[in-house]
Structure formats: C-alpha cells, structure tokens
Amino acid sequence: MAYKVLPVLFLFLLSFKPLSTKETDPPKLVAANAKASFELKVKNLYTALNPQTFAMPKLESFSKALEGFYQLKEQGLIKKDILTLIDFSLSSAQKRLWVIDMATNTILLQSVVSHGRNSGDEFATQFSNENNSFMSSLGFYATGEVYQGKHGMSLRLDGLEYGINDNARNRAVVMHGADYANENIISKQGRLGRSQGCPAVPVALHKEIINLIKEKSCLFIYHPSRNYENKSKLIS
C-alpha cells in the first residue's frame, strides 16, 4: 500500500519530515522518510497514552485512526481534539469503543458498541454503504448534531469517505443508545445485540458519549479489511 502515500499523504507527511531529509532527495524517499517519522510519532503517542482505568486499544487501529484524524483536522473537516475509535476487528463481547482526548492524550471512556445485524454475529466481517443493507460502514466520520429520535437522544454522523460511508446520513446511521447494546446480553447469548447499521451503545452511557463527541469530532470505525484499505484515501 506504500504507493498510496504519494498522492494522498505526501503533503501531510512532510510535516513529520525528519531533519536528515535533504531537499535534493527524490519525492519517494522524502515521503518514505516522512512516513517513518509519522509512525514513530504514533508509537510515542501510543506509549504515552494515558488509559486511566481503561484498557488500551490495539496499536494498529490507533495508528490508522491517527493517520486520518490529523489529515481531517488539517482540512478543517473536524474541529475538536476528540477521537472516537471503534475497532470492529474485536468481538462484540469486548469493549471496543474508545473516546480519546487528543489534546491531553487521555482515554476518556471505553464501551461496548453494536455492529449491523448483516455485518456478522459476534464479529463484524461484512460492511456496506448501501441503503437497507443493515450493515455497518467502515472509515472516518465527522459527528454532527444531536436530535431526539425513536431511541431518544441520538447523534447524526457524516461519512467522510466517498463510496465507503458517505451515505451514512441518508441511511440514518447514527449513534444512539439501545437496550440490545447491553453487556448483560453477552452472558446470555455470547455476543452483543446488533443494530440496523448504527454504532449503538449502552443506554446507561449514550448521553455521556454523545455529549463528549458531538459537533465535528472524528469517529473512526476500524477493521483490517483489504477492500477498505484499497479504497480509502485517508490511510496508507
């Protein structure tokens, strides 16, 4: 996937250019050095990440999340220094949602989160941007406005990746609380309940989560999907 760095991340990665890079170096070498510098920065941030009482996300998902976060922040598509990371490579029986304050490098909250019912049972393995697919969509989102819907307080999401999740608002893919997104269900059926494609969270936490991340923060739904990596312009 290194070839994607030049057209997509080149200018962004230059801001992480190591001091040893020369102006006469070819663009591919400059980009490669900048990418290595960025990866080092991510590892340093990960090592210094303050989990408080929460478990750490995986380095792989954290790294991909930061890759898009910094680009979207630079483009003005997100405003807040809040990053929500959802790792759909993990079982729905695990707490696979993290809310991270990037200004202080601190995990603020961790929670279980549901995936779409047609994305899989315990694990999410299939994803779609299509109406009525009842699947989750991967990639980067900007959080939108809060509204009162059939699930009570809910948060609209705007998908920022064309052909991957840009149909989220039309599909009414939103963050909301749900009784089926309750850890008590896991002990009965071995997995969390599933949504129609929304990242549903426990009713006991949904207001706190929504208030933390509303109004132009970054939400990233991760999965090591080769199809997503090939399509995305925000990760390398």
Side-chain angles (χ1 to χ4, degrees), residues 88 90 92 96 114-130 132-138 141 171 191 194-199 221 223:
F88 275 165
L90 300 175
S92 65
R96 53 186 181 169
S114 294
H115 57 252
R117 70 189 189 202
N118 286 343
S119 282
D121 293 326
E122 178 183 352
F123 289 88
T125 58
Q126 299 183 76
F127 308 96
S128 176
N129 193 35
E130 298 298 323
N132 302 315
S133 66
F134 298 141
M135 293 185 192
S136 299
S137 300
L138 300 178
Y141 298 77
R171 292 178 61 201
R191 61 168 172 79
R194 297 168 298 171
S195 69
Q196 293 185 345
C198 298
I221 300 180
H223 186 275

Side-chain angles (χ1 to χ4, degrees), residues 101-116:
D101 185 337
M102 296 301 298
T104 62
N105 205 33
T106 302
I107 296 176
L108 302 178
L109 189 146
Q110 185 183 13
S111 174
V112 294
V113 59
S114 294
H115 57 252

Side-chain angles (χ1 to χ4, degrees), residues 55-174:
M56 293 278 285
K58 293 191 296 186
L59 175 59
E60 173 68 16
S61 59
F62 181 74
S63 176
K64 297 297 185 184
L66 261 60
E67 203 171 339
F69 171 83
Y70 286 124
Q71 291 181 80
L72 295 170
K73 194 75 187 296
E74 189 174 76
Q75 295 168 17
L77 295 175
I78 57 171
K79 303 296 184 183
K80 292 184 174 181
D81 286 322
I82 297 291
L83 169 63
T84 304
L85 168 59
I86 296 175
D87 187 350
F88 275 165
S89 73
L90 300 175
S91 163
S92 65
Q94 295 179 258
K95 293 183 178 180
R96 53 186 181 169
L97 177 151
W98 290 263
V99 178
I100 304 170
D101 185 337
M102 296 301 298
T104 62
N105 205 33
T106 302
I107 296 176
L108 302 178
L109 189 146
Q110 185 183 13
S111 174
V112 294
V113 59
S114 294
H115 57 252
R117 70 189 189 202
N118 286 343
S119 282
D121 293 326
E122 178 183 352
F123 289 88
T125 58
Q126 299 183 76
F127 308 96
S128 176
N129 193 35
E130 298 298 323
N131 293 331
N132 302 315
S133 66
F134 298 141
M135 293 185 192
S136 299
S137 300
L138 300 178
F140 289 89
Y141 298 77
T143 60
E145 68 276 15
V146 176
Y147 72 100
Q148 293 294 321
K150 64 180 181 180
H151 295 287
M153 184 179 183
S154 303
L155 178 66
R156 297 197 191 279
L157 302 173
D158 290 301
L160 301 177
E161 301 201 68
Y162 178 75
I164 296 172
N165 61 18
D166 61 316
N167 200 28
R169 186 171 281 256
N170 290 335
R171 292 178 61 201
V173 172
V174 302

